[in-house]
C-alpha cells in the first residue's frame, strides 16, 4: 500500500506540538477533515467532512479504518512535511503532499498543498493554500 512503506520510529514531535488529540481547520460553516500526527512518523486523516466535534469523536472511537487516509511526515525545523494517500475508486488513489508550519504547540498553519492523482487521464493538481490555521482539539487517541 502506498501509505504504509515508511519507517515508523520516534520523531520527537511531542516536544514541539500536542499529539494527544487531533487538529482541524474551522471555516465557519463546517469542520474540514481532522487529522492526527503520531509520534512514530505516522499521519492519519479522517477524509470525510464532519459537521461537529461529536461526529469526529464518534469516528475516532470507531475501530474501522475505512474513512482514514494514512501517510507519514518528516520534520524540518519548524515545518512538518506530510505525504498521505486516500483511496479514490477501484485501485486508484490520490496522494497528497502538504506542509504545516508550527505556530505553537497547539496551532499549525498549512503553507503548502499538492494533490497527485493516480488516474491515467489526470496529472497533478495543486490547491493554493490560504494560510489555513489548524487548531488542536484534545481527544484520547491510541497512538500505537
Amino acid at each position: 500500500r502506498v501509505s504504509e512503506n515508511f519507517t515508523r520510529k520516534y520523531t520527537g514531535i511531542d516536544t514541539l506540538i500536542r499529539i494527544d488529540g487531533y487538529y482541524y481547520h474551522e471555516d465557519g460553516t463546517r469542520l474540514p477533515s481532522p487529522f492526527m500526527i503520531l509520534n512514530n512518523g505516522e499521519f492519519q486523516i479522517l477524509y470525510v467532512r464532519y459537521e461537529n466535534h461529536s461526529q469526529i469523536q464518534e469516528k475516532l472511537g470507531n475501530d474501522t479504518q475505512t474513512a482514514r487516509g494514512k501517510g507519514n511526515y518528516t520534520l524540518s525545523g519548524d515545518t512538518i512535511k506530510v505525504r498521505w494517500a486516500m483511496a479514490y475508486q477501484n485501485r486508484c488513489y490520490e496522494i497528497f503532499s502538504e506542509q504545516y508550519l508550527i505556530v505553537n504547540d497547539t496551532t499549525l498553519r498549512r503553507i503548502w498543498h499538492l494533490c497527485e492523482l493516480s488516474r491515467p487521464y489526470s496529472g497533478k493538481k495543486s490547491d493554493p493554500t490560504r494560510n489555513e490555521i489548524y487548531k488542536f482539539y484534545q481527544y484520547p487517541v491510541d497512538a500505537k
Side-chain angles (χ1 to χ4, degrees):
R1 300 200 1 109
V2 173
S3 61
E4 296 177 358
N5 294 328
F6 65 93
T7 304
R8 287 172 172 81
K9 61 181 182 177
Y10 177 73
T11 64
I13 199 160
D14 60 337
T15 64
L16 302 173
I17 64 170
R18 299 272 309 265
I19 61 168
D20 56 334
Y22 58 90
Y23 287 84
Y24 67 92
H25 163 70
E26 191 166 0
D27 67 1
T29 59
R30 64 178 179 223
L31 296 176
S33 301
F35 61 83
M36 295 172 287
I37 297 175
L38 306 180
N39 218 1
N40 65 357
E42 188 172 346
F43 177 87
Q44 294 183 9
I45 187 165
L46 300 175
Y47 57 81
V48 176
R49 304 268 184 208
Y50 298 93
E51 297 299 321
N52 57 51
H53 288 288
S54 295
Q55 290 178 357
I56 293 170
Q57 292 174 18
E58 181 180 329
K59 190 53 126 177
L60 288 173
N62 188 344
D63 287 336
T64 182
Q65 300 289 312
T66 57
R68 292 189 187 188
K70 287 188 174 184
N72 67 315
Y73 68 87
T74 58
L75 289 172
S76 179
D78 62 355
T79 304
I80 303 167
K81 297 178 178 181
V82 175
R83 188 164 168 87
W84 62 277
M86 174 180 73
Y88 180 68
Q89 287 179 345
N90 296 337
R91 297 186 316 210
C92 292
Y93 54 88
E94 293 177 319
I95 298 175
F96 296 88
S97 297
E98 299 173 331
Q99 292 183 14
Y100 297 89
L101 180 67
I102 299 171
V103 176
N104 58 45
D105 67 334
T106 60
T107 306
L108 303 176
R109 181 168 49 99
R110 187 167 80 168
I111 57 174
W112 191 73
H113 174 82
L114 177 70
C115 175
E116 303 172 32
L117 303 175
S118 68
R119 297 183 304 247
Y121 55 84
S122 62
K124 295 180 180 181
K125 68 178 183 180
S126 61
D127 177 18
T129 299
R130 297 173 303 277
N131 289 318
E132 296 167 333
I133 299 296
Y134 288 77
K135 294 287 188 178
F136 174 79
Y137 188 80
Q138 188 171 2
Y139 180 77
V141 293
D142 183 8
K144 286 182 184 176

